[in-house]
Amino acid sequence: MSQQVTVTEHILLHQKMIPGATGQFTRLFNELVLSAKIIARAVNKAGLVDVLGFTGDINVQGEEVKKLDEYANRILIHRLSRSGVLCAMASEENADIIEVPENFPRGDYIIIFDPLDGSSNIDVNVNIGTIFSIFKRRSNSDAALLSSDVLQKGSEQVAAGYILYGSSTMLIFSTGDGVHGFTLDPSVGEFILSHPNIRIPEQGKIYSVNEGYERYWDRDTKKALSYFKSPKNALRKPYSGRYIGSLVADFHRNLLYGGIFMYPADLRDPKKPWGKLRLTCECNPMAFIVEKAGGLAIDGLKRILDIEPEHLHQRAPFFCGSAKDVQVVQEIFEAEARRKKKK
Ligand code: FBP
């Protein structure tokens, strides 16, 4: 029987490699893994229990809240509070920073999460996921927590990843040294290492974007799309278009096959010309993963992980995937920026 490595073993091995490690991270990760198993159980039998449809509430994003989204959010907050190593949490579903209840010990870690990504696909049994981003507080542990502790640049993440609830449940993450994939074996209830050291192909062959919004895009974004659809691109044939509408699912496919995911800025609402995806709980963790796997993530011009967040629910244009594909997009945006400068 091949050597089966569980995620807990993997994290303990990682902990051994960190001088002065306290075990705090392992305890946090154990609660995250337990939350994933509980949410996966609800997702797997969603059609049989009352977790489909809406709760009737509207969240801080102005979106109708899905029951499974609310359930996943509750499970994560409940379990993570009990890790005893957090000083704060933040969720896509909560307007403000979530305090750790007084009656639980606290630590120096901060976790930001999107409890259930791909909410438009929840009720139709299409892949959805949970996305997480982990930081260490910067201010002194004895002092009051500062918003700058939570609003750190993505490059300061100590770990990030996602859980994909699909034909199988997978956990993909990085603590900085490589990207690793674990598959949940329901028969033993353990996440087993199935995809060690994932590397995204340098050259992609797939583009993922909601072309339904093309009319609202700027000229650079349209130019980028026509590059991927042109037989004159580096691939010498049009890329294949794939769009599931769940960031985790589209990202995961491109991570393994190579390609580019794009959620560009658009002018549907001129007051909000920066696209849909949230910098702190969607773009930053996915950018961390793709970079550790050899890819790139930009907002058109700037590296996503270098963006200084101004507020918790800030949105950013997102171009992410195989290095050569993202570089093409960056060159198009930079050429336009140079042209404008010359004017
Ligand atoms: P949620 O986290 O609310 O699901 O929003 C994010 C998301 O669903 C992404 O997973 C996906 O890539 C995108 O929105 C789909 O948006 P659109 O329907 O506009 O293409």
Side-chain angles (χ1 to χ4, degrees), residues 208-337:
S208 321
V209 68
N210 189 334
E211 291 187 58
Y213 302 140
E214 186 173 0
R215 69 173 48 249
Y216 303 113
W217 295 344
D218 58 27
R219 196 171 53 178
D220 299 337
T221 307
K222 289 178 180 168
K223 209 169 167 188
L225 182 68
S226 46
Y227 166 86
F228 294 116
K229 295 171 87 166
S230 153
K232 295 199 186 78
N233 62 34
L235 211 57
R236 295 279 167 271
K237 64 179 180 166
Y239 282 43
S240 186
R242 290 279 185 279
Y243 191 72
I244 296 168
S246 292
L247 168 63
V248 275
D250 284 310
F251 177 92
H252 186 70
R253 181 206 45 248
N254 293 355
L255 183 68
L256 301 184
Y257 284 169
I260 184 167
F261 174 88
M262 306 184 275
Y263 205 108
D266 65 51
L267 301 171
R268 270 174 292 168
D269 177 349
K271 290 198 293 312
K272 294 184 188 165
W274 44 67
K276 177 183 182 180
L277 300 183
R278 278 55 65 150
L279 175 64
T280 59
C281 62
E282 290 169 323
C283 303
N284 272 342
M286 295 317 216
F288 187 81
I289 292 288
V290 86
E291 284 202 10
K292 298 299 176 192
L296 294 173
I298 59 173
D299 68 357
L301 286 169
K302 195 171 180 178
R303 180 182 176 232
I304 290 286
L305 297 180
D306 290 339
I307 299 176
E308 201 69 67
E310 284 149 26
H311 61 85
L312 213 42
H313 299 287
Q314 175 177 342
R315 299 172 191 244
F318 193 51
F319 300 86
C320 170
S322 296
K324 288 193 174 163
D325 300 339
V326 176
Q327 279 156 356
V328 165
V329 173
Q330 194 161 35
E331 279 147 25
I332 290 171
F333 277 75
E334 283 172 351
E336 178 61 14

Side-chain angles (χ1 to χ4, degrees), residues 132-204:
F132 60 90
S133 166
I134 300 173
F135 295 91
K136 279 202 114 170
R137 70 178 295 167
R138 291 196 293 203
S139 63
N140 182 318
S141 308
D142 310 328
L145 187 80
L146 306 171
S147 58
S148 59
D149 283 312
V150 179
L151 297 178
Q152 297 185 45
K153 283 192 301 188
S155 54
E156 301 302 315
Q157 290 172 103
V158 293
Y162 56 92
I163 297 111
L164 183 62
Y165 309 107
S167 45
S168 63
T169 297
M170 288 194 71
L171 165 61
I172 310 284
F173 70 93
S174 179
T175 52
D177 58 345
V179 174
H180 308 285
F182 294 76
T183 301
L184 181 61
D185 179 341
S187 64
V188 289
E190 277 292 350
F191 279 100
I192 308 291
L193 183 61
S194 54
H195 297 67
N197 293 317
I198 297 172
R199 300 296 292 172
I200 185 169
E202 202 186 3
Q203 167 73 58

